[in-house]
Amino acid sequence: MLSYRHSYHAGNHADVIKHLVQVCILNYLKRKEKPFCYHDTHAGAGLYSLQSEQAQKTAEYQTGIGKVWNYTGDNAEIKAYVDAVRRLNQGEDLAFYPGSPKIADLLCRATDSIQATELHPGDYPILASQFQRRKHCRIEKMDAWAGIRAMLPPLAKRGLVLIDPPYELKTEYQDLIKGLQQAIQRFPQGTYAIWYPVIERKAVESFIDAIVDTQIRNQLRIEYCPLPDAEGFGMTGSGMLVINPPYTLKQDMENCLKELSPLLSQSPAAHWQVTQLVDE
Ligand SMILES: C[S@@+](CC[C@H](N)C(=O)[O-])C[C@H]1O[C@@H](n2cnc3c(N)ncnc32)[C@H](O)[C@@H]1O
């Protein structure tokens, strides 16, 4: 089943948190000259028009990037994220939003490599068309977990794997845990950033517990909920579980969320956490 289209949700509060974490990790990897690999398991279309029928229908970006776009503070990570979005938009109008592979394309150096898999027959060609001129890249219309088996470990023995499934099916949570274990067996030194939605609190905690139970070391949880937990109200927040995070990520994201929470909050009961779940 491939009914999910990210064009309805591009630039929402969950994308802001996910892509900010992605920017923090990529910028950390760039501190060393040695090239790294960015691997995106569920890449989406890469670039989204916020004027499209889909984006206008939900208007989710207005409570996400729309609130952060005019950021004037000093936080270097938030500035780097907003700067990446601004590079796709001429002038002051927010018209386009980059997906995760596009953010990687904007931030990675020519020597770094980009690998991405996407299955949707509509989104894959849009994605692939943006990478035709890039060297050191492999963009495949392939299942995410087959892609992990085919492409990990990368030639560069350092990098980030972003895992961002649509969770249309309940089985995707189990598939992720199995795929993650296979990925870590192949590429244990990689950093892994796993996105998850907050829809039902009990289900979220069971999913997190199941990842903790894998015995994988060094797990950092970053979560932001602009709305209080409530069942039956859709997605009230989202999180990133990061395995082998840069040592700077915890402090960086605490600083970011202190500044972003007042901008993104939709309720006095908005809440966030940055928690080391499993030690190194
Ligand atoms: C949440 S979206 C990705 C958004 C993207 N990572 C971003 O941040 O811009 C999930 C994507 O996964 C794709 N997808 C679903 N199942 C997949 C699978 N088994 N393998 C690869 N891609 C899949 C969907 O078509 C959808 O485009």
Side-chain angles (χ1 to χ4, degrees):
M1 185 170 79
L2 279 172
S3 56
Y4 179 92
R5 303 302 299 273
H6 198 63
S7 45
Y8 287 94
H9 312 289
N12 67 5
H13 58 79
D15 262 9
V16 172
I17 303 306
K18 173 181 42 178
H19 295 149
L20 187 56
V21 169
Q22 181 190 2
V23 166
C24 288
I25 298 172
L26 291 178
N27 280 343
Y28 177 84
L29 287 166
K30 281 163 70 178
R31 287 188 188 182
K32 278 194 191 156
E33 219 171 284
K34 198 167 172 258
F36 63 85
C37 173
Y38 171 78
H39 182 104
D40 201 322
T41 58
H42 299 75
L47 182 63
Y48 302 93
S49 163
L50 298 177
Q51 312 302 330
S52 71
E53 204 181 309
Q54 293 100 314
Q56 288 294 322
K57 188 170 177 192
T58 60
E60 287 185 18
Y61 73 92
Q62 289 177 4
T63 48
I65 184 62
K67 299 283 182 196
V68 184
W69 166 246
N70 287 315
Y71 177 75
T72 52
D74 290 333
N75 182 293
E77 280 67 41
I78 301 176
K79 280 180 14 185
Y81 161 66
V82 173
D83 182 59
V85 181
R86 283 198 173 269
R87 282 168 66 187
L88 297 174
N89 289 279
Q90 312 275 309
E92 285 313 297
D93 290 339
L94 172 61
F96 293 98
Y97 187 78
S100 51
K102 187 71 189 172
I103 288 180
D105 191 30
L106 290 167
L107 265 67
C108 289
R109 304 158 298 192
T111 47
D112 299 321
S113 56
I114 295 181
Q115 303 179 164
T117 48
E118 168 56 49
L119 267 186
H120 198 284
D123 284 347
Y124 171 74
I126 302 171
L127 174 70
S129 69
Q130 294 161 61
F131 285 87
Q132 277 169 352
R133 294 215 189 117
R134 190 178 173 105
K135 281 191 182 161
H136 306 301
C137 95
R138 186 170 169 193
I139 312 294
E140 299 280 355
K141 186 167 183 291
M142 190 187 267
D143 171 67
W145 313 118
I148 275 180
R149 290 189 292 275
M151 295 188 229
L152 293 187
L155 277 178
K157 294 281 185 278
R158 54 195 291 263
L160 167 64
V161 179
L162 183 78
I163 305 181
D164 183 19
Y167 300 107
E168 287 179 292
L169 305 170
K170 286 242 179 321
T171 51
E172 282 182 273
Y173 290 92
Q174 280 314 314
D175 292 346
L176 185 150
I177 292 169
K178 197 170 141 214
L180 174 68
Q181 286 172 309
Q182 290 179 344
I184 288 183
Q185 249 176 16
R186 288 164 183 270
F187 183 33
Q189 68 276 45
T191 294
Y192 293 81
I194 299 153
W195 182 83
Y196 64 88
V198 176
I199 298 171
E200 284 176 32
R201 176 54 63 188
K202 252 175 91 182
V204 172
E205 297 311 316
S206 305
F207 177 56
I208 299 287
D209 287 350
I211 299 188
V212 168
D213 285 348
T214 57
Q215 314 285 326
I216 296 166
R217 308 296 309 164
N218 201 3
Q219 300 189 20
L220 180 71
R221 174 183 191 172
I222 299 159
E223 191 176 294
Y224 178 68
C225 300
L227 289 161
D229 293 353
E231 286 182 23
F233 287 88
M235 187 174 73
T236 56
S238 66
M240 293 289 269
L241 194 82
V242 185
I243 290 162
N244 295 333
Y247 77 95
T248 45
L249 189 64
K250 185 170 189 290
Q251 187 66 64
D252 282 350
M253 284 308 298
E254 282 172 357
N255 295 342
C256 286
L257 288 170
K258 276 180 202 154
E259 289 213 39
L260 285 184
S261 186
L263 300 178
L264 294 174
S265 151
Q266 298 175 35
S267 151
H271 55 104
W272 60 268
Q273 63 167 302
V274 181
T275 313
Q276 185 77 31
L277 290 179
V278 183
D279 289 337
E280 279 184 60

